[in-house]
């Protein structure tokens, strides 16, 4: 039996019913009350929602906004190029058992970058503070994307797996 909890597209698109981004990953049980869920999107953002409140709590922009607007879909089609992949492939909440980290979450993208977020420090507009940006030393260009992430049960560490077969801490 399935129970409809929320429609993410209503929160993102202002309730106009237009389809939202495709969702690629999900984690639940975050926050002090364990009622937060985080979804990674094909649009390069993670969406944190409060399950019982059915409200969007934060949008986490894993990818920086593109400054060059010349790479539109039409321009790329004219050049026979694919648009740059910008999806988030892994998300997770820090366990509440680790002191002082109940509001932390992580996002991992196809760019190979792991980002740690503090949702308790709002920067305005429903975003969270970026605490850490982690890049593998052997892959500074981010050639291998993150496929999974898992927080350590008792330490503030994140373990990631990558598309090139590497597991990193």
């Amino acid at each position: 039996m399935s129970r409809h909890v929320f429609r993410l597209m209503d929160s993102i698109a202002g309730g106009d019913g237009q389809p939202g981004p495709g969702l690629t990953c999900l984690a639940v049980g975050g926050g002090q009350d364990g009622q937060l869920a985080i979804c990674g999107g094909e649009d390069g953002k993670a969406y944190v929602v409060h399950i019982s409140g059915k409200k969007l709590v934060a949008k986490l922009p894993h990818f920086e906004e593109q400054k060059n607007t010349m790479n539109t879909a039409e321009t790329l089609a004219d050049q026979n190029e694919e648009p740059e992949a910008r999806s988030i492939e892994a998300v997770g909440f820090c366990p509440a058992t680790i002191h002082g980290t109940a509001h932390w979450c992580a996002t991992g993208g196809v760019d190979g970058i792991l980002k740690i977020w503090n949702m308790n420090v709002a920067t305005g507009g429903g975003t969270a503070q970026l605490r850490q940006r982690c890049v593998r030393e052997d892959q500074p260009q981010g050639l291998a994307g993150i496929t999974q992430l898992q927080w350590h049960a008792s330490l503030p560490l994140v373990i990631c797996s990558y598309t090139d077969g590497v597991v990193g801490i």
Side-chain angles (χ1 to χ4, degrees):
M1 181 163 134
S2 176
R3 183 174 154 198
H4 181 77
V5 177
F6 63 90
R7 287 174 38 126
L8 185 59
M9 68 184 84
D10 290 344
S11 297
I12 297 170
D16 61 4
Q18 295 297 314
L23 301 178
T24 57
C25 50
L26 169 73
V28 296
Q32 288 181 325
D33 61 357
Q35 292 291 307
L36 295 181
I38 183 171
C39 304
E42 290 178 341
D43 62 349
K45 294 183 180 77
Y47 300 92
V48 181
V49 296
H50 194 273
I51 296 169
S52 62
K54 299 179 186 172
K55 298 231 185 246
L56 181 67
V57 175
K59 291 181 194 178
L60 310 178
H62 183 86
F63 292 87
E64 278 81 30
E65 294 296 320
Q66 290 181 342
K67 296 185 179 23
N68 183 1
T69 58
M70 297 299 290
N71 284 340
T72 63
E74 292 126 13
T75 305
L76 291 171
D78 291 342
Q79 299 170 356
N80 290 329
E81 293 181 23
E82 290 287 322
E84 180 183 358
R86 296 171 52 90
S87 71
I88 294 177
E89 298 297 316
V91 293
F93 288 107
C94 186
T97 56
I98 302 173
H99 180 70
T101 62
H103 295 282
W104 288 10
C105 66
T107 58
V110 294
D111 59 353
I113 297 172
L114 172 72
K115 291 190 176 181
I116 310 295
W117 303 88
N118 183 352
M119 296 178 298
N120 203 29
V121 181
T123 60
T127 60
Q129 178 190 43
L130 178 62
R131 289 194 52 87
Q132 189 72 40
R133 181 180 185 273
C134 307
V135 180
R136 279 177 42 194
E137 292 178 8
D138 65 331
Q139 292 272 327
Q141 307 302 323
L143 300 176
I146 294 175
T147 57
Q148 293 281 330
L149 68 82
Q150 179 69 47
W151 285 88
H152 189 278
S154 60
L155 298 172
L157 297 174
V158 181
I159 297 101
C160 297
S161 62
Y162 294 84
T163 56
D164 64 353
V166 171
V167 174
I169 298 177

